[in-house]
Amino acid sequence: MGEADDPEAFLETFRGMAEVSEWPPQEWAHRLLPLLTGEAQLAAHSLPAAAQKDFDTVARAIRDRLGLNPEEHRRRFRALAFNDGDRPFTYAQQLRDQARRWLGPGKHTPEEIVEQVALERFVEGLPTRTSTWVRYHQPGSLSAAVNIAEGHLAPPLSDRRSRARGPVRQPCSRTGPPRGRWRDGGDVPVRSRHIVHLPTPSRRRALRRQGRRVGGADGRAKFGGTVR
């Protein structure tokens, strides 16, 4: 493996050569390890000794470390463009290879491939923030992506409870409008027709003292009857 080699293509070429040469599968990993370089080599040697004997485990570790997952292959497939000097045959072959790596026709049924294509279009059609959220979770199926998107687009639980209860009347703070006024879900104070404003205890004592000084029927009539 050289620095300019595509690790995915290298692994596929190695597998094809191993099958043509009829090497025993248990020897594939042993023959592959000395050929690896760079990040691929680090990925293989980070595995336990027992796992290094299995070719599929080594290949999967290399793909994971280098980000060679279906989502990465999908991005590469969409990013391929025909450049000056390219041949149509070469460009078509590159598209075919990336599409195969993305959709995995040898590993998935036609129905699963259709779902992968629908999943891509579904995620791209979502609002930007929701689309980013769904991509972050890397759903493996369309139904999983739908659940993640619905959870992200759903209003917070507190908002749902507020809507179920309707408008909530809250008393104004001491720094807000005068006493006896309430806020009705907004900034405009509304006077309640059902609120009876009673004097405070200190005000009642002052009224009593004032009634004693006035005395007589005029005092009782003025301050609400008999003064005790």
Side-chain angles (χ1 to χ4, degrees):
M1 178 183 291
E3 295 181 359
D5 288 340
D6 182 352
E8 189 78 33
F10 183 85
L11 292 173
E12 292 177 358
T13 302
F14 181 89
R15 178 186 288 273
M17 180 173 293
E19 292 175 348
V20 170
S21 302
E22 298 182 352
W23 295 341
Q26 60 270 22
E27 295 182 4
W28 291 8
H30 176 71
R31 293 175 179 265
L32 173 66
L33 291 177
L35 305 177
L36 300 177
T37 59
E39 291 294 323
Q41 186 182 64
L42 292 176
H45 287 288
S46 65
L47 295 172
Q52 293 181 18
K53 299 178 181 180
D54 182 68
F55 174 81
D56 291 334
T57 302
V58 173
R60 184 165 54 252
I62 293 173
R63 293 189 179 98
D64 290 344
R65 186 179 185 91
L66 299 179
L68 302 177
N69 50 47
E71 176 61 19
E72 176 63 24
H73 291 313
R74 184 197 68 81
R75 285 196 292 263
R76 292 186 180 187
F77 173 78
R78 296 301 182 189
L80 281 173
F82 189 84
N83 300 317
D84 294 339
D86 288 348
R87 294 181 55 197
F89 174 81
T90 303
Y91 179 56
Q93 186 64 37
Q94 291 174 345
L95 287 172
R96 184 182 294 110
D97 291 341
Q98 286 298 338
R100 184 180 294 110
R101 294 169 184 172
W102 167 32
L103 300 172
K107 302 177 182 178
H108 302 96
T109 64
E111 184 62 28
E112 291 173 339
I113 292 176
V114 169
E115 180 155 319
Q116 287 297 317
V117 177
L119 173 61
E120 179 202 31
R121 188 67 195 96
F122 172 77
V123 175
E124 289 183 350
L126 292 172
T128 303
R129 294 184 62 185
T130 304
S131 177
T132 303
W133 181 253
V134 174
R135 290 184 191 279
Y136 172 78
H137 286 82
Q138 299 182 355
S141 64
L142 184 59
S143 59
V146 169
N147 292 335
I148 296 171
E150 287 183 346
H152 187 264
L153 290 173
L157 182 59
S158 58
D159 291 351
R160 294 199 296 269
R161 289 176 177 173
S162 298
R163 292 176 184 177
R165 290 195 302 264
V168 179
R169 300 174 66 88
Q170 299 177 350
C172 299
S173 63
R174 301 184 67 87
T175 58
R179 296 185 59 180
R181 292 175 178 253
W182 297 70
R183 294 191 186 277
D184 194 2
D187 295 332
V188 179
V190 178
R191 184 180 297 277
S192 173
R193 298 180 180 179
H194 306 290
I195 298 177
V196 178
H197 302 287
L198 298 176
T200 62
S202 59
R203 178 61 177 165
R204 288 199 298 270
R205 289 193 295 271
L207 289 174
R208 292 190 186 110
R209 289 195 298 270
Q210 193 171 358
R212 292 192 187 96
R213 287 197 297 270
V214 174
D218 293 340
R220 288 192 296 273
K222 184 174 181 181
F223 297 103
T226 304
V227 179
R228 297 180 180 177

